[in-house]
Amino acid sequence: MGQQQLLLLVLGIVIVGLAVVVGIQAFSENQAKANLDALVNDGVRIASDVQAWSLKPQAFGGPASGEDWSDATFADIGYSDADADNGACAGGQYGNLNGCFTLATSGTDARITGQGLSGTTLNSNGVQIDISGTSPNDVSTLTSAAGTYTVGGGTSSTTN
């Protein structure tokens, strides 16, 4: 083989190797972004279910007399938080393929926090959904990917 052919062969192998590495990196980044999007979707769905529960009459499974949406639990809104059902999540959390979710209430506020899952281990994705009422405008989201929080399109450098 001539020198030019060997040079072209080596150059071709290097280009293919670089393309494979870039493809793997792009896939990993896309997978993390998809997990964060799924966490936000699940968190907003849970928040919506909390709001819907609070508007039901007690006879149809709504809050008892004197309770409101800030008294909701996973059991009230139809989610299982039993250890046998939540996979890698801790007791008292709701878990699915996307992550582990905690529902906490204090005073007139409710907060749903979610931590992303990668296989069976927790990853650095996180979401926080705050509920301050029963209208769609009373739900706010805060996302965290690799230690930075994003609220409404802006980014801050606060670490989680």
Side-chain angles (χ1 to χ4, degrees):
M1 238 184 215
Q3 254 184 328
Q4 185 177 13
Q5 290 173 329
L6 287 174
L7 181 63
L8 288 174
L9 181 65
V10 169
L11 184 62
I13 291 172
V14 168
I15 289 173
V16 168
L18 285 174
V20 167
V21 168
V22 168
I24 290 171
Q25 184 177 7
F27 177 79
S28 297
E29 289 175 7
N30 195 21
Q31 184 181 18
K33 177 67 173 146
N35 177 253
L36 183 59
D37 291 343
L39 280 177
V40 171
N41 186 35
D42 288 340
V44 170
R45 178 178 44 86
I46 294 169
S48 175
D49 289 343
V50 167
Q51 290 176 323
W53 170 81
S54 71
L55 296 173
K56 286 182 186 178
Q58 183 179 2
F60 294 112
S65 178
E67 288 186 329
D68 63 10
W69 58 270
S70 64
D71 296 312
T73 65
F74 281 125
D76 289 336
I77 59 175
Y79 293 92
S80 175
D81 58 0
D83 286 341
D85 298 333
N86 65 10
C89 302
Q93 292 183 322
Y94 164 69
N96 62 19
L97 292 174
N98 301 319
C100 299
F101 297 89
T102 304
L103 175 60
T105 59
S106 64
T108 59
D109 294 332
R111 174 171 287 171
I112 300 160
T113 54
Q115 178 72 39
L117 285 177
S118 175
T120 58
T121 60
L122 294 173
N123 66 29
S124 62
N125 287 338
V127 66
Q128 175 179 306
I129 312 291
D130 290 321
I131 312 166
S132 60
T134 56
S135 79
N137 294 333
D138 293 332
V139 176
S140 63
T141 62
L142 180 70
T143 60
S144 168
T148 59
Y149 286 97
T150 304
V151 181
T155 302
S156 70
S157 59
T158 307
T159 58
N160 55 350

